[in-house]
Structures are given as C-alpha cells and as structure tokens.
Amino acid sequence: MEAGERPRAAVVVTGSELLTGSISDKNGPWVARELGELGFEVAHVLLVGDRPDDLAAALRFTVEAGCVLVVTSGGLGPTADDLTAEVVASFAGVELVLDEDMREHIAGILRRGWAARTEFSAEAIEEANRKQAMVPRGAVALPPVGTAPGLVVPRPGGPLVVVLPGPPRELQGMWPAALQAPPFRELLGGVPPAESLALRFFGLPESEIAATLREFDSEIDLSGVEVTTCLRRGELEVDLRPKPGAAVFAGELHAALAARHAKHLVSTDGTTTDELLARALLQRGWTVATGESCTGGMLASRLVDRPGSSAYVAGGVVAYSNTAKTHLLGVPAEMIEEHGAVSPEVARALADGARERFGADVGVGITGVAGPDGGTEAKPVGYVCFCVTTGEGLVLARDPRLPGSRSDVRERSTDLGMHLLLRAAAPRP
Amino acid sequence: MEAGERPRAAVVVTGSELLTGSISDKNGPWVARELGELGFEVAHVLLVGDRPDDLAAALRFTVEAGCVLVVTSGGLGPTADDLTAEVVASFAGVELVLDEDMREHIAGILRRGWAARTEFSAEAIEEANRKQAMVPRGAVALPPVGTAPGLVVPRPGGPLVVVLPGPPRELQGMWPAALQAPPFRELLGGVPPAESLALRFFGLPESEIAATLREFDSEIDLSGVEVTTCLRRGELEVDLRPKPGAAVFAGELHAALAARHAKHLVSTDGTTTDELLARALLQRGWTVATGESCTGGMLASRLVDRPGSSAYVAGGVVAYSNTAKTHLLGVPAEMIEEHGAVSPEVARALADGARERFGADVGVGITGVAGPDGGTEAKPVGYVCFCVTTGEGLVLARDPRLPGSRSDVRERSTDLGMHLLLRAAAPRP
C-alpha cells in the first residue's frame, strides 16, 4: 500500500441466480458501504455463480488486485452446491476440520427449527449439520444468525477472508461479530479512519458538479479527495472521501461546493428530503394529506415509509378516475371539463380537497400524463401538474415536463412532490 | 468450450460510485439477462472503479475465466477519467484512431444539445467531441444514444469486447445496434439458442423447490438443466435453463415441478400476478378500489404501475388515521373502538367502504402493525389484516403475521393484497 492510499478490499458475492438478471444483488452495495466507512478503498465487487472454479478464480483475482481483505457472501448452506467454506480453505492453504462446539450449536438451532418438522429425515439433518460445522483450520467461526455459521479465515500473505451467509438479513446480522473477530480487529487497527463528507442537492444535474470540480481542479489539486456522485430519488448525493492527510482540504472543498450550488442544496450532512420533511412537519405540529392521480399512491406510501409517520400523515386519496376526483375530493366536474384532468387548476383543487377532507394542515395534489399513452401536443407524456397548499394560504405550484418511462415519470413526480412539501413546511429564514 | 456447455460471457461495469454502496448497479443484471437469453453462460459480473489499472485487470480476468465475450458499461464520457476506450484498445493490442464520421455525428448532437448553451467554451466542446470519436483500430463504432458512441472491439484470441455507455437508458438503447455489429453477429451464430422455461409460485419457500429437486435428483440426473430460483415481490420465480440437448428433459422437469406444487402455482410461463390480475379485471370489466392503512398507498401504486390501468383502477383511500377511516371510508368509530384499528372487522369495512365510495366492483382493505413500534402481545409487529370483497358477495379474509422490518411488512402486505385480488378476480374453474 502506497503512502496516502487506503488499503484495498474486495467483495465476492456468490449465487447463480444473480447472473440470470432476475434478481439484483443487495449484499455487494451493503458490504461496500461498510468497508468504505471503515476506511478501506473498495477495489471491486465480483458476482460469481455457485461454481467452485469460478469462486477460486475470484479469490485469486483479489490477490492480483492487491486487496488485504475480501468479504464473501453466500454458499454456506447445507446443500451440495454450497461450497464456499471448502474453496476458501483451499485458497488459504488449510484443511477443513469439524468444529465440535459449532456442530452442537447448529444442532440446537435445527432442533428448534425446521428439523422439528417430521417430513425431514434425521439422517439428512445430521449430514447438513456436520457439513455446516466444518471450519478451515486456524479460522474463527462466527455463530449463525440463521443456521449457517460465518468464518474469518487468515491467509498467509493475505488477504484476510471474511465468509458471510447470503441472505441479507443474516449477513448484516453477523457483521458486528465479524468485526470483533481477532484477525479482523487486528487488520482494522492499521486502517486510517474514513472521514467522509456528504452533500445533497435537488434538481442539480451531475454534470454541474463535474463542471465545478473541473474548474476547481484547474486552480488547486483535488486528487487528495475522492468525489463520487450518485443520483437517487431526484437528489444528487455527493460523497467526499479524503485520502489520509487530506481531511482539512476535504472540508474546504465541501464548503465550496455547498456555497457554489446553494440554490439546490438540501443538506450538508447527508440528511435526506424525507427526513427533513418529517422533522419540519413534527416541529410545526402539522399533518399532511395527499390527492394523487398519476402517482397513484406512491407519494402517500413514501410519506408512510418512515417509522412514526402516523404523527404527521393524515391520509390520502388516489383519485385516478375523474369521478373519484369529483366525488372524493370535491374537484368541480366543470373544472375538469374546462381545463382537463391534467391541469394546474385540478392539481390545486386536489391539494385543497385532500387538505379539507382529511382536516390536514398541508395538502399536495399531483395530476399528470404518466404515459405511455394519453399524451397530446399540448399535454405530452411526462407533463405533470403539482400543487401544495396550506391552511395559512401558501400555494406552491409547478407544471414541468418530466422525462423518461411511465415509472420514471411517476417516481420523479413523487420526488418533486416531496421536495415541494419540504419547501412548504421548512422553517423560513 | 466443452460439448454440452454454453459459451461463457462476462459483464464488467465501471463506476466508482458503485463501490461506495450508495447506488446499486442496474446494468449488470440487465446485460446478464440479455446474455442468458442469447444462450451464453454468464461467468461473472464485475464492478470496478474508474481506475484504468483495475479495468485492465478486470478484462484480463475475463480471459482467465474462459469468456468469449465481455460487455462493459460506463467510462465513455468526455472527461479525463472516462478511460474505457483507451483501456480496451490496449487490451485488444491496437491503437486509438480518430473516426471522422463519428466526430461529425457527435458534433451534430452537441450542436443541438448543451453546446448550444453559451456558458460552455467552444474549445472544451471540440476537445470532448474529439475524445469521444477516438475508436480502437478495427473496431465497430456504434452511434450514440446520448452523446457517447459504443464500440465492438475484436481481440485476437478473444474475447470480443462490447463497450457500452453507463446510463441504463443509453446502454439499453444501444443494445440492438450492438447485436447487429458484424463481429457480434458472427459470434452469436455459434451460440446454441437458449430455451429457458419459467415457473412462478406464490407463498412457496425456496427450500421446498430445493427439496423437490433433491428428491428428483436421487432418481434421475438433473445436471443437464440449470435451475435458478429467485424470490421477488412474494413470488418464487423458478428458471429452468437446459444445456444444449436437454430441452425435452427440461420440459418434463418443468411439468413435474408445476404438478408437485400446483397449490402455489401462479403461472407456467413466467406471467406475474400483476399481469394476471390486470387481465382478469379487464376480462370481467371490473374496477378495483383500495382502502389502505399500513401499506399507505403502496397497493394502489402497484395497481397503477401498469400502463392502461385507468381501465380498471377506480382509486383508493390511504386511511392512515382513525378519523380518516371513519370519515372517508365509513368505518364505524364503534367498530374501531371495540376491535381496534388493526382487526379483521376493520379490514372488511375498509374493503367495503372503498368499493362503495368509488363505485367499484371489487374492494381491498389492509390494516396492520408495520412497526417498529405499536405492537402488542395480541397484535405484534407484522400482524396484518386483509379483506377483499366483491359486489357479488365474495369475501376473502386473511390475518397473517408477516416477518421482517417495517418496509418488509409493508411490501409483503402489498404482495399478499395483489394475490388476494387475483384470487377474487381470476376465472373460477
């Protein structure tokens, strides 16, 4: 490891089902984030099928990539194609030995679990139990969160291999124990702490941050800070991760980026719009109600995502049909006739109607053309009308044309709805 | 490639932001699925940062893994860290040359796009244009979908490298042109066609399929068929992919699995519950209305996901507060008092209320304890009451305890709500 560089780590995720494209991997991103926060540079995330040769090749690749740590997920079950322990033992150059304590521990779990069901043979269970209690010599076994134990396996010359189960809940549940295993703890002692800084912007394209960074870079060398950007839920998340020794400079860059794009700034500590909105509503003692057409309940659902949301979510109406708009939210039929169901007027009537029907303090109305059909020249696919109104008389209205597919338009509408609610509820300067 | 085995392909996705865990990769699963359908075995998906050495190592690894094809995504932009074309040229052992036609083509796009904005210097634009028109000698350049061209780069001794842009929309948009590029077309000529068979089950644990396969395997060799399972939206998707020559046997296995687990079968051709429900509602000419508490609009939103859903979605009410349940859906306050807001009685009143208020043919009510707080001994976190009622007098009720976190409970509730709606609307035998 060169001076000023972070030690490298890799994630190897096993599972043939990840290579058919029918499921996306949850473990790679989760482990990568944890490793980054511990101060590692994540060299790569590698998804391989349940084939021993491929897993062995993946492990050798982490050596070539100069990794001091590799975390694997999956392949620890009781069936014949669960081969991770065996392949990792061979990679570390040691044999598998039966861990008697672990065998007892697993037997106890099995007795309480599915083994209690009589349709399974005692013999098959004993076989599975024994297989899962085989541990590479010299490794630390981690107690199961489900039924599969994890492993921390030192390899002479490195890397250290941390072997975790595939189900995300088991993997995440076992992580604290893995961190406490002596070989991992020792490795962590030599890793410079990460001091990552976050920024969040709404409505700012990634290219604008890139342009600002290029401009700064022409004046001062930015290479001490790794900047990554990520667009999610309509927000641009910017992450500044200083290399060892560059923390002060990262702080200055963080402040400069926030100042340059103040108009679009959501937070300087990574707090999301959702969290800021919840805080603002709680602080004001406000409740919110929704009147949704094209988003079809997506905005209400997003508001309810947060634990404790019953304190500020009154409810909502999905008024997908014109009749529903009129009957349930009191949108005048003549208004729909005159301006169309997708119009700033109807958006406002949806907001007011929702606020009044639910007795809420703030209402939001969304109506738009999500597509793929139903667009006209005047109101093309992606045209969406928003309105947020409050009992105090505040009215915030927008009617942008949003790009993308039906689901893109609906998701972006939800993002913008959350943003407008925050604008209405946030403490005013 | 051995007889009876499929040719191997790999996906290499570049982007440092994928290694911080703040975003999950969309391109790997998408390309992997396409490659599987073309008849390749996907050896691995590798995510690497925007570092030329790591990309070069990733490409070499595909050679070691015996791949005849590698698809890359990302790193084709105009900035200095967009290095994919250069690294791939070096991997193929050829130099980069300016493609004059491509330069003209990109210049045209830039003139119509952001280059029209005066804040960017003409010089910087010309520089970016030139960089993006550099093509490895002997490669086929693919016209941009955004502003970055793609590449199909033959390497002596293999693999063929298909270089695509990072934004999923651009990548997917460019894929048909990549398939038509002569070197890719020629390679595809030698790939045995895939004949994958699908099955979908609801409420069946993965372990049951595994147990059935073990049982079958003890009688007849199953190794000719690759079986992958994936649990998504409450449904177990089973994919049977025969190796060359095993298509008939795969058909028999497909039928045997469907027969064995007929009680849980959703479809034998991969059709989802969502699609079957839409068809059933359209066929009956029914409309549906929702009365949701803990799911907070998630079920309505799921119904609206499908294009054309306005034909059968009347609307819904998110009755998160007790007042809303009473005022908007007519749930008697005394009923809530007596049985609690989370009770089979209230679920039924929500279903009936939604159906009546929206004038719909079928109504669904969901009320439950999503957590993390609010659970009691009698009604713990995860306890959710469902009811589907129709104008014809059909009543389907359930009140399971669902496992997992707040979002797990809400998602599983939505899955079960869709399943019950399908049960109510599906043509009866």
Side-chain angles (χ1 to χ4, degrees), chain A residues 378-395:
Chain A
K379 294 175 182 176
V381 168
Y383 176 69
V384 184
C385 302
F386 299 81
C387 193
V388 171
T389 67
T390 71
E392 295 169 340
L394 178 76
V395 179

Side-chain angles (χ1 to χ4, degrees), chain A residues 369-375 381 406, chain B residues 307-308:
Chain A
V369 188
D373 305 316
V381 168
R406 179 177 176 84

Side-chain angles (χ1 to χ4, degrees), chain B residues 69-73 142 151-153 160-164 175 178 184:
Chain B
L69 173 71
V70 50
V71 179
T72 74
S73 87
L142 305 169
L151 299 167
V152 177
V153 189
L160 180 69
V161 188
V162 176
V163 178
L164 300 174
W175 186 245
F184 200 171

Side-chain angles (χ1 to χ4, degrees), chain B residues 62-194:
Chain B
T62 68
V63 178
E64 194 201 339
C67 297
V68 299
L69 173 71
V70 50
V71 179
T72 74
S73 87
L76 290 177
T79 66
D81 62 347
D82 289 312
L83 285 164
T84 304
E86 205 175 311
V87 173
V88 170
S90 158
F91 175 63
V94 295
E95 57 181 348
L96 285 173
V97 290
L98 181 70
D99 183 324
E100 194 51 51
D101 290 349
M102 190 52 78
R103 199 192 62 72
E104 262 308 304
H105 188 103
I106 299 171
I109 295 170
L110 294 177
R111 271 193 297 273
R112 292 188 299 275
W114 49 270
R117 286 157 62 183
T118 49
E119 72 247 55
F120 297 102
S121 81
E123 208 172 308
I125 291 163
E126 175 52 32
E127 176 65 28
N129 180 345
R130 205 185 143 77
K131 177 177 179 307
Q132 292 191 293
M134 296 299 286
V135 168
R137 193 182 292 281
V140 179
L142 305 169
V145 172
T147 62
L151 299 167
V152 177
V153 189
R155 177 179 183 262
L160 180 69
V161 188
V162 176
V163 178
L164 300 174
R169 201 166 313 164
E170 293 185 30
L171 178 141
Q172 294 172 25
M174 200 179 279
W175 186 245
L179 293 176
Q180 287 307 314
F184 200 171
R185 220 167 46 201
E186 192 184 326
L187 179 67
L188 285 173
V191 178

